[in-house]
Amino acid sequence: MNNNVRSYKAQKVLERMGKKLNRQMVGSLAACVHCGMCTDACHYVLANPGDVTYAPAYKADKIRKLFKRHFDWTGRVIPWWVSAKSVYTDDELEELKDTVFGKCTNCRRCSINCPMGVDYATFNRMARGLLVSVGVMPEGVAVVSKDQWEIGNQMGVLKEDYVDTLEWLSEEMEAEHSDPKATIPIDKMDADIVYSINPREVKYDPRTISDAALIFYAAGEDWTMPSEGWDMTNFGLFSGDDDLGGAVAKRLYDKVTELRGKTLVISECGHGYRSTRCEGPNWAKMNVDFVMESSVDTMLRYIKEGRIKVDKSKNTTPVTFHDSCNNARSCGLTEEPRELLNLVCSDFREMYPNRAENYCCTGGGGAMSMSEYTPQRLKSAKIKADQLKATGAEIVVTSCHNCVDGLADLIKHYKLGMQVTQLVNLVANALVIEKKVAVPVGEVPAEAEALAGRKILVIDDEPDIVTFISAILEDNGATVFKAYSGDEAIAIAQKEKPDMMTLDISMPGKSGIEVFEELRSLDDLKSIPVCIITGKPELRKLIYDRQVLPPEGYLDKPITEEGLLVNVRKILELVHEK
Amino acid sequence: MSDLLHFSEHILQEVALVFMAIVYTLRLTWLLRFKAGGDRQAPTGTAGYTTPRRGIIYSWLNIASPWAMESTRTQFFFYIQFVLFHLGVVSAIGLSFVIPYAPSLLESSLLVLILQISVGAAFAIGVGRMIRRIFAKYIRAISTPDDYFSLLLLTVWFGFAFFAVPNSTVNGEWHLLTYFFLTAFFLMYVPFSKISHYLYYPFTRYYLGRTMGHRGVYPIRRAPRTQN
């Protein structure tokens, strides 16, 4: 291609770059002296020794070259002298995309290690935004952004599913505590607290919602959850799209204002906290007149004020804490989670390095949604894996849903055998609740009867997993059929007509995705609910991309007994109601 | 003293300084033309721990606090080189004022020794840095012609500064002439090269410190490595 002819997209990127630049970014773009002090700060570099393309200064120069060529004196007059270079083709934009999305999680670790104070993460985000504005982005970023623009949350959870889940959780809690006050209020006006969550909680981890609800209930809090505008995550932070960032943040702020809530509590999510609490007002260009706080602060306050009682002897397994980059390096939320952990756990072990110097979970910056970069993400996760292993802990706690997925993925990949959990789960587990109403033991339905009469087909090529899942379901009264391959699963399903199925995605031969599609295409089986179970979260999209009805549930490996039962019961209840 | 040496010590330096000041002013005007991003959020982090002001001061002093950044803690030898190199810059610049305007100061053999040690060390470090820039894979990959030239210019300048320190013309004027002509070139070249980084330093550090202070991150806190 003639280098004097610039593609439409390249032209737009350069035009928009001029509008995006602010003084902070210009300073960072102009000030680098190529000293290389940032190099070892990056987990990608440490995991890929010798590969210079991962060095922060090298990556930053991909953007800096454009800046110098078009905005800086020397670069405009004698570009070769300062290695300034323009961009002409769409292929060059694709290359830039692979750098800014695929080789950096915007974790900001290099920024705090730069003697000059060059904030690479900030202008890397700008570069992401420029590419997104011309449609050059990883497919996962496009899909998630679209969901957040159009449906209002980044996982495309429909309002009825969200409200159904809350109502179901609410009913469970009310039944469990035999107290009409033990509920999840929705759209309650003038509540002291409006609780916002990550859509991942509704879709894959409802236990975090019920645990938070339990804590609010135990604290006697006047709280509510909004029926709309409830997603506190914001993909604008990852995609660099300030318009999306502003729209999402405003949606949430407007809802809190409409409900006349006094405090917006943000559930444990690093990027959600940073987006809602810190960046949102800037993107939305509005001043927020209510208080916003992390649920970590809320829980800690409840304990300090004596509103809830906790017993740390209920959490005795050794735990360590992973600081989310967005919480620690961009919002200073480092001490409160530790204080809380020490109140609810008896064996907390510090990770090194920690707080603002901690390494990224390697799934940050939206990396979990970019399946094309999964191999390099998992390779770079070696640094985090070594860090986790050195703690000797069995559970890693983190205040970030993104980190939960990132850590779970690397723990599986590096066979660390650790579990990932959040503070809300530990606090809920440590709660000491005085029963408001005494219920005779005989009247409580036995737990073993919960799935009585249900026929469930468990499909997984790993015998250990099949045994594990089957044992849990059988212990709860279900009749379980086992299939170790796709063909076997379809044959059993046609013969037994189970009430639901659990399905692994990664199986040799016929994959779970093919099995799922086939199940949905068969008239006699398509209405049977399916819960997808996989250790590869990045494959979710493949399932949801199919031109068939989506699965009724989804679970990440490693599976916990509680998580499995909650999901299975929810699916069966919802299907039964329909 | 020849007319040429007198010219190089006075008029040439003054013209170069004025030129540099003008270009620097234009450069700062250019930088300030870009709008500074604001921060509408309420402060985050532990209440009462820090403020934007504290963050700014911490950020500015980061470079003088090698314990503050992991990069300087773990590469302490490189940090020491950085300190000595920049002390050499200060000495060599100072020398360009001392010789023409206060030559009597150089009658002190102690001051001459200190200045020579300073610029001599900077010269040696300059040579080491050039070797590193040529042979270290990561550094070579990010180096531009300007990076090599600026370093070469400074290193050679340090070399001539070393010989210029005694301000003696007993063995000829060539070393003083070269030093002053190099200084003038250096002053005029700086605004267009990476050497102008110190012009941006207060700004990059100010904004990073303000944000990180407002958000409760600066000063950075950490717990030491412990045996689990």
Side-chain angles (χ1 to χ4, degrees):
Chain A
M1 188 175 202
N2 184 343
N3 272 358
N4 293 320
V5 180
R6 186 170 282 123
S7 74
Y8 175 80
K9 288 181 180 178
Q11 183 61 36
K12 286 293 165 196
V13 163
L14 294 173
E15 285 171 13
R16 289 168 188 170
M17 188 176 189
K19 291 174 188 161
K20 282 248 186 185
L21 288 171
N22 63 26
R23 202 177 300 156
Q24 287 94 320
M25 280 189 230
V26 170
S28 283
L29 285 160
C32 180
V33 290
H34 292 147
C35 68
M37 291 291 272
C38 55
T39 307
D40 290 340
C42 176
H43 60 274
Y44 279 107
V45 173
L46 298 176
N48 296 276
D51 187 343
V52 298
T53 64
Y54 285 108
Y58 185 91
K59 293 181 280 192
D61 273 1
K62 296 270 182 189
I63 304 159
R64 189 171 284 118
K65 285 171 196 289
L66 302 179
F67 166 78
K68 287 190 171 179
R69 183 68 186 89
H70 294 276
F71 302 96
D72 197 34
W73 298 355
T74 318
R76 288 165 84 167
V77 180
I78 35 172
W80 62 274
W81 188 246
V82 289
S83 297
K85 203 177 164 204
S86 190
V87 62
Y88 292 94
T89 67
D90 291 353
D91 285 345
E92 287 172 315
L93 294 180
E94 288 290 331
E95 276 177 37
L96 184 60
K97 176 197 82 177
D98 287 339
T99 298
V100 301
F101 284 101
K103 294 188 171 183
C104 175
T105 57
N106 273 1
C107 79
R108 227 175 187 178
R109 199 166 190 275
C110 58
S111 304
I112 63 159
N113 275 293
C114 171
M116 288 297 299
V118 169
D119 193 359
Y120 167 48
T122 297
F123 63 83
N124 193 63
R125 182 179 174 274
M126 174 197 72
R128 285 183 173 198
L130 292 171
L131 292 175
V132 165
S133 75
V134 295
V136 178
M137 65 192 113
E139 199 183 338
V141 172
V143 170
V144 179
S145 298
K146 186 171 179 285
D147 278 347
Q148 204 155 26
W149 270 119
E150 294 177 0
I151 302 178
N153 65 82
Q154 62 164 283
M155 286 191 176
V157 177
L158 300 174
K159 183 181 177 184
E160 51 268 38
D161 289 339
Y162 165 76
V163 173
D164 274 355
T165 303
L166 294 190
E167 286 174 351
W168 160 66
L169 292 171
S170 185
E171 285 162 15
E172 282 223 328
M173 190 162 81
E174 190 177 342
E176 190 177 336
H177 294 277
S178 307
D179 184 351
K181 289 179 183 169
T183 57
I184 299 178
I186 300 173
D187 283 345
K188 184 180 173 193
M189 296 296 291
D190 299 308
D192 287 339
I193 280 178
V194 177
Y195 187 55
S196 60
I197 58 168
N198 183 319
R200 180 184 174 279
E201 297 179 66
V202 186
K203 207 155 184 172
Y204 310 123
D205 196 7
R207 189 168 67 111
T208 55
I209 305 173
S210 50
D211 281 352
L214 182 63
I215 293 165
F216 287 131
Y217 162 66
E221 186 60 85
D222 174 17
W223 72 294
T224 189
M225 290 181 77
S227 61
E228 287 174 305
W230 48 269
D231 180 7
M232 53 72 175
T233 69
N234 197 322
F235 218 69
L237 182 70
F238 298 150
S239 68
D241 183 349
D242 289 351
D243 292 337
L244 174 62
V248 172
K250 189 170 184 303
R251 209 178 279 158
L252 183 52
Y253 301 153
D254 285 349
K255 189 65 189 179
V256 178
T257 305
E258 180 193 316
L259 293 174
R260 296 196 298 266
K262 295 179 185 68
T263 300
L264 172 62
V265 172
I266 302 154
S267 79
E268 289 178 87
C269 177
H271 99 268
Y273 181 63
R274 179 178 169 190
S275 299
T276 305
R277 177 75 170 74
C278 302
E279 314 291 357
N282 300 323
W283 294 331
K285 298 181 176 63
M286 62 187 282
N287 294 317
V288 177
D289 56 6
F290 49 82
V291 176
M292 292 190 274
E293 69 178 17
S294 163
S295 59
V296 174
D297 291 316
T298 315
M299 291 186 284
L300 185 59
R301 196 176 64 243
Y302 287 163
I303 296 175
K304 284 181 171 176
E305 291 174 356
R307 291 175 68 176
I308 58 173
K309 288 179 184 161
V310 286
D311 176 5
K312 63 159 69 176
S313 69
K314 291 183 176 181
N315 293 315
T316 54
T317 310
V319 300
T320 188
F321 184 71
H322 163 80
D323 289 280
S324 129
C325 302
N326 284 310
N327 278 341
R329 255 192 297 281
S330 288
C331 298
L333 188 64
T334 56
E335 305 313 303
E336 294 76 5
R338 285 172 171 77
E339 200 178 344
L340 189 53
L341 261 180
N342 279 310
L343 289 167
V344 299
C345 295
S346 59
D347 187 356
F348 166 54
R349 303 171 179 200
E350 191 63 88
M351 193 184 294
Y352 185 85
N354 49 61
R355 296 172 170 82
E357 292 187 342
N358 187 31
Y359 287 109
C360 176
C361 70
T362 66
M368 294 305 289
S369 65
M370 306 172 202
S371 55
E372 56 268 61
Y373 305 125
T374 300
Q376 61 212 64
R377 170 172 65 78
L378 285 172
K379 190 179 177 193
S380 77
K382 174 78 168 58
I383 306 307
K384 191 78 225 175
D386 290 345
Q387 207 190 356
L388 292 177
K389 202 173 175 182
T391 64
E394 292 173 32
I395 295 175
V396 54
V397 184
T398 184
S399 285
C400 174
H401 280 282
N402 206 61
C403 296
V404 168
D405 284 341
L407 293 170
D409 214 17
L410 76 87
I411 284 169
K412 180 171 181 280
H413 185 76
Y414 288 99
K415 298 182 174 57
L416 299 182
M418 297 173 83
Q419 283 189 323
V420 190
T421 192
Q422 296 198 286
L423 274 159
V424 68
N425 307 130
L426 294 174
V427 173
N429 193 50
L431 272 180
V432 178
I433 301 178
E434 291 167 14
K435 289 279 181 191
K436 300 267 168 37
V437 181
V439 179
V441 173
E443 289 180 20
V444 178
E447 192 66 23
E449 300 298 318
L451 299 175
R454 299 293 195 177
K455 293 193 290 182
I456 300 174
L457 172 57
V458 177
I459 310 160
D460 201 306
D461 62 305
E462 293 182 57
D464 289 350
I465 301 285
V466 173
T467 305
F468 175 69
I469 296 174
S470 302
I472 294 170
L473 298 176
E474 283 169 349
D475 284 352
N476 283 273
T479 303
V480 176
F481 305 102
K482 302 166 186 172
Y484 300 92
S485 70
D487 290 329
E488 190 184 2
I490 289 164
I492 295 175
Q494 284 178 320
K495 186 180 170 201
E496 302 294 343
K497 301 286 185 302
D499 294 310
M500 73 165 285
M501 296 178 256
T502 71
L503 173 62
D504 179 30
I505 293 185
S506 302
M507 294 195 293
K510 194 176 276 182
S511 76
I513 294 162
E514 291 168 306
V515 175
F516 178 71
E517 206 166 27
E518 196 170 332
L519 287 168
R520 286 295 200 240
S521 67
L522 296 169
D523 286 342
D524 55 337
L525 301 181
K526 66 182 175 189
S527 59
I528 299 176
V530 175
C531 178
I532 297 293
I533 297 182
T534 183
K536 295 183 177 172
E538 67 275 12
L539 297 181
R540 284 174 198 163
K541 202 177 87 48
L542 296 175
I543 281 280
Y544 287 98
D545 275 355
R546 301 280 142 169
Q547 298 299 316
V548 292
L549 284 173
E552 281 73 13
Y554 197 100
L555 260 179
D556 281 341
K557 291 179 183 175
I559 312 159
T560 62
E561 179 175 347
E562 193 178 353
L564 176 70
L565 284 174
V566 165
N567 273 273
V568 167
R569 284 158 66 183
K570 179 193 164 194
I571 290 168
L572 290 171
E573 281 175 25
L574 285 176
V575 171
H576 178 70
E577 281 171 19
K578 281 177 187 172
Chain B
M1 180 190 288
S2 68
D3 288 345
L4 183 60
L5 181 56
H6 186 271
F7 164 79
S8 71
E9 284 185 11
H10 292 273
I11 296 177
L12 181 62
Q13 297 308 307
E14 286 150 15
V15 169
L17 278 168
V18 169
F19 177 80
M20 189 184 79
I22 292 169
V23 181
Y24 269 1
T25 306
L26 293 173
R27 198 71 174 156
L28 284 179
T29 309
W30 169 78
L31 179 64
L32 295 172
R33 256 191 12 232
F34 291 94
K35 193 180 166 192
D39 218 346
R40 292 170 185 260
Q41 66 150 111
T44 46
T46 310
Y49 170 67
T50 186
T51 60
R53 183 188 164 89
R54 193 169 170 216
I56 292 164
I57 294 168
Y58 174 83
S59 181
W60 274 336
L61 294 178
N62 241 204
I63 205 64
S65 322
W67 58 88
M69 287 187 291
E70 183 192 75
S71 56
T72 45
R73 281 200 307 276
T74 55
Q75 300 174 75
F76 193 69
F77 181 60
F78 189 80
Y79 175 77
I80 293 294
Q81 289 180 39
F82 152 82
V83 173
L84 293 175
F85 189 82
H86 285 82
L87 284 177
V89 173
V90 172
S91 300
I93 290 174
L95 187 65
S96 72
F97 289 93
V98 170
I99 291 177
Y101 304 114
S104 59
L105 287 176
L106 295 172
E107 288 168 12
S108 161
S109 55
L110 179 64
L111 182 63
V112 168
L113 181 66
I114 289 170
L115 287 174
Q116 281 195 314
I117 288 173
S118 179
V119 294
F123 172 80
I125 290 163
V127 172
R129 282 187 166 196
M130 183 59 86
I131 292 168
R132 176 175 177 260
R133 200 164 276 285
I134 292 169
F135 292 104
K137 194 175 177 184
Y138 282 100
I139 306 300
R140 189 170 66 240
I142 55 175
S143 294
T144 67
D146 174 47
D147 291 324
Y148 290 108
F149 182 75
S150 297
L151 182 54
L152 182 67
L153 174 66
L154 277 169
T155 306
V156 173
W157 182 57
F158 287 138
F160 282 96
F162 181 84
F163 293 110
V165 170
N167 193 22
S168 166
T169 53
V170 174
N171 295 316
E173 294 181 342
W174 60 272
H175 54 292
L176 284 164
L177 278 171
T178 312
Y179 166 70
F180 278 106
F181 272 93
L182 274 178
T183 306
F185 178 73
F186 167 73
L187 292 174
M188 289 192 276
Y189 176 67
V190 165
F192 305 101
S193 77
K194 67 173 270 187
I195 308 173
S196 61
H197 63 274
Y198 59 82
L199 191 69
Y200 305 114
Y201 180 85
F203 291 93
T204 53
R205 281 267 155 216
Y206 171 86
Y207 287 114
L208 187 65
R210 190 185 70 173
T211 302
M212 295 300 214
H214 189 55
R215 298 187 178 191
V217 181
Y218 273 3
I220 282 179
R221 293 182 281 194
R222 61 179 171 274
R225 189 192 293 272
T226 51
Q227 288 294 323
N228 289 312

